Amino acid sequence: MNEIRLNLEDILRAELENEIMFRLESIAKEHEIRRIVFWHNGGVEDAQIQTFKEKIQPLYNFCSHIKITKNKPNEEFVWFDVLNYSFAKNNHTQCNRFSYVYQKLSDIIKGIDNFKSVIKFVESGHGKKVIYKKENNNNESCDN
């Protein structure tokens, strides 16, 4: 739980690295993020990956497992996926519990905000089933 996967190519194209790091850090201060996965299709050069790793260094204070991978989202399960519409439409990935699909690159931020909302909802205990104890006629508990 509390894992997120983001497309690194889209992040770099939109030049949203700083804003994304700020959002993820603010979420991690309130909620545990177990894993962050940045994936790409091979359209990112090694120098860009190295620069990106340096920018996300502060995230390691909040999340010990940060992964940059060339794997596509349909090759590994993750709790929350932030996917580009064109990729989601063509690949029908089922390797996530929740997802946010964006059409504009600037909407990646909305996907991260949606991730935070889902974490809050899940951690708040909504939907917990209340169990009532039944009593018999002598006011004795039926639970044995």
Side-chain angles (χ1 to χ4, degrees):
M1 192 168 94
N2 297 6
E3 305 170 314
I4 186 169
R5 179 172 37 216
L6 300 154
N7 184 316
L8 181 57
E9 291 173 77
D10 286 351
I11 292 169
L12 295 175
R13 201 173 311 128
E15 298 179 356
L16 293 171
E17 302 99 305
N18 294 332
E19 181 65 22
I20 286 170
M21 294 312 115
F22 174 76
R23 299 283 173 120
L24 289 174
E25 278 184 41
S26 69
I27 294 169
K29 288 177 182 176
E30 296 177 35
H31 310 279
E32 178 186 4
I33 299 178
R34 293 191 181 154
R35 186 168 65 132
I36 303 171
V37 178
F38 298 98
W39 69 276
H40 63 91
N41 280 326
V44 180
E45 297 175 10
D46 290 339
Q48 289 175 297
I49 291 173
Q50 190 58 38
T51 303
F52 184 74
K53 283 181 179 179
E54 292 169 8
K55 286 185 178 182
I56 65 170
Q57 193 64 35
L59 277 178
Y60 283 96
N61 296 327
F62 305 103
C63 179
S64 59
H65 191 103
I66 299 175
K67 182 177 174 181
I68 298 175
T69 181
K70 198 173 175 181
N71 293 342
K72 292 182 180 177
N74 52 357
E75 295 176 0
E76 178 181 18
F77 184 84
V78 72
W79 192 70
F80 194 94
D81 235 337
V82 180
L83 293 167
N84 184 306
Y85 174 76
S86 61
F87 182 86
K89 181 178 81 171
N90 295 326
N91 291 285
H92 306 292
T93 180
Q94 294 296 318
C95 294
N96 57 48
R97 176 77 59 215
F98 303 98
S99 64
Y100 179 87
V101 178
Y102 59 90
Q103 290 186 339
K104 297 185 300 185
L105 294 178
S106 60
D107 288 343
I108 295 171
I109 300 299
K110 290 180 185 175
I112 294 172
D113 292 341
N114 192 272
F115 171 62
K116 182 178 181 177
S117 298
V118 170
I119 290 174
K120 281 184 176 182
F121 177 78
V122 170
E123 289 181 353
S124 70
H126 290 302
K128 284 188 178 178
K129 185 176 180 181
V130 178
I131 300 173
Y132 296 99
K133 289 186 176 182
K134 295 180 182 179
E135 294 184 2
N136 63 16
N137 290 338
N138 298 331
N139 290 331
E140 294 175 1
S141 176
C142 291
D143 298 325
N144 292 329

